[in-house]
Amino acid sequence: MAALERAGQRLTPQRLAIAEALARTGKEATVQELYDQVRRKHPYIGRATIFRSVDMLVEAGLAQRLERPGHVSAYIWCEPGHHHHLICTSCRAVEDLGETLVAPLAKSIARERGFRVDHATLDFYGLCRACAAKRGKPAAS
Amino acid sequence: MAALERAGQRLTPQRLAIAEALARTGKEATVQELYDQVRRKHPYIGRATIFRSVDMLVEAGLAQRLERPGHVSAYIWCEPGHHHHLICTSCRAVEDLGETLVAPLAKSIARERGFRVDHATLDFYGLCRACAAKRGKPAAS
DNA sequence: GTGGTTGCAAAGGTTTTGCATGTGC
DNA sequence: GCACATGCAAAACCTTTGCAACCAC
């Protein structure tokens, strides 16, 4: 959590609580979920603070906004340099994925299509090892 | 546009107009932009119809929702089997990318991490060939 | 002490929904 | 003709903003 200090931001109890909540779940979390979670210890925290704090975390490179299907933004804690993920659609656990997979792709795209890649989204959705083992087949809807 | 019929959906003038508008721009488009565009020919169309139609298009596999940063959904027309894109952050043009790049990645992830990939997002943001040529460097903010 | 941060509440904007009417098949 | 699609408007929703009080540094 010392990463927060390194980000050159003020270390308030709220921010700590939010960062901690996000880091601890190991899953993607919406603002509402973080709000519910953090409110157990900070009953007077406001939703706006969550929004402002996660924005700050994203800018500091400590979190990432997942543009996930369904119009609600979710956030995940992430170590610098790990901006791609495996996201379990069952338990919502998130695993990091390094840049190593994307870098060669970006390079070949630049070469073959003349496209100058700035950044890329690469996220895999599916079942994590545990969930895949639990149910061999995806659950029927 | 015959793809619409194939999707087993009713072919209404509104849907045709929306699909056409989306297909013709060759760019990502927000609902608001489609609304403005389609309204030139269908002044009485409602925003709700746009939302319902793009949802239908997405379900039919003829469009894709881009979860782009900034909380507004944008949609792009896409041929079946081309669900990854190069998106120009300058002119907002969209180029298709086949599945060929992702398939091997998904396979290796399944093998190495025990993760059962269902689907993946892979979109590259940057400058298309034309925009990259126009301005060698990204514009200063 | 000071400037950034918080909490509250209200505003802003996007997306969804209900229902009567209209229409493709 | 019937089921589905549309238009309208209001509701629901997430997110942002303004501002006074507060607090980390």
Side-chain angles (χ1 to χ4, degrees), chain A residues 43-110:
Chain A
Y44 292 115
I45 203 168
R47 275 170 294 269
T49 300
I50 314 279
F51 278 99
R52 287 187 278 230
S53 295
V54 289
D55 276 1
M56 187 267 295
L57 289 174
V58 168
E59 294 232 343
L62 293 172
Q64 186 183 347
R65 174 170 17 219
L66 273 189
E67 309 293 342
R68 77 174 185 192
H71 305 138
V72 188
S73 293
Y75 296 83
I76 54 185
W77 182 260
C78 63
E79 302 303 321
H82 290 94
H83 290 165
H84 305 294
H85 307 89
L86 309 179
I87 299 142
C88 179
T89 49
S90 175
C91 70
R92 298 178 59 197
V94 172
E95 294 179 50
D96 272 356
L97 212 54
E99 302 293 317
T100 46
L101 284 177
V102 198
L105 290 187
K107 219 173 248 177
S108 79
I109 282 171

Side-chain angles (χ1 to χ4, degrees), chain B residues 6-74:
Chain B
R6 252 179 274 129
Q9 300 291 340
R10 288 200 184 169
L11 206 54
T12 67
Q14 291 92 336
R15 286 180 174 182
L16 242 174
I18 292 165
E20 212 167 75
L22 188 53
R24 297 197 100 169
T25 93
K27 310 192 174 189
E28 53 168 18
T30 64
V31 166
Q32 185 62 44
E33 287 161 351
L34 289 173
Y35 179 60
D36 295 340
Q37 170 76 21
V38 171
R39 235 149 79 99
R40 295 186 201 148
K41 281 157 203 156
H42 297 260
Y44 293 115
I45 203 168
R47 274 170 295 269
T49 299
I50 313 279
F51 278 98
R52 287 187 278 230
S53 296
V54 290
D55 276 0
M56 187 267 296
L57 288 174
V58 169
E59 294 231 341
L62 292 173
Q64 186 182 347
R65 174 169 17 217
L66 274 188
E67 310 291 343
R68 77 175 184 191
H71 306 136
V72 187
S73 293

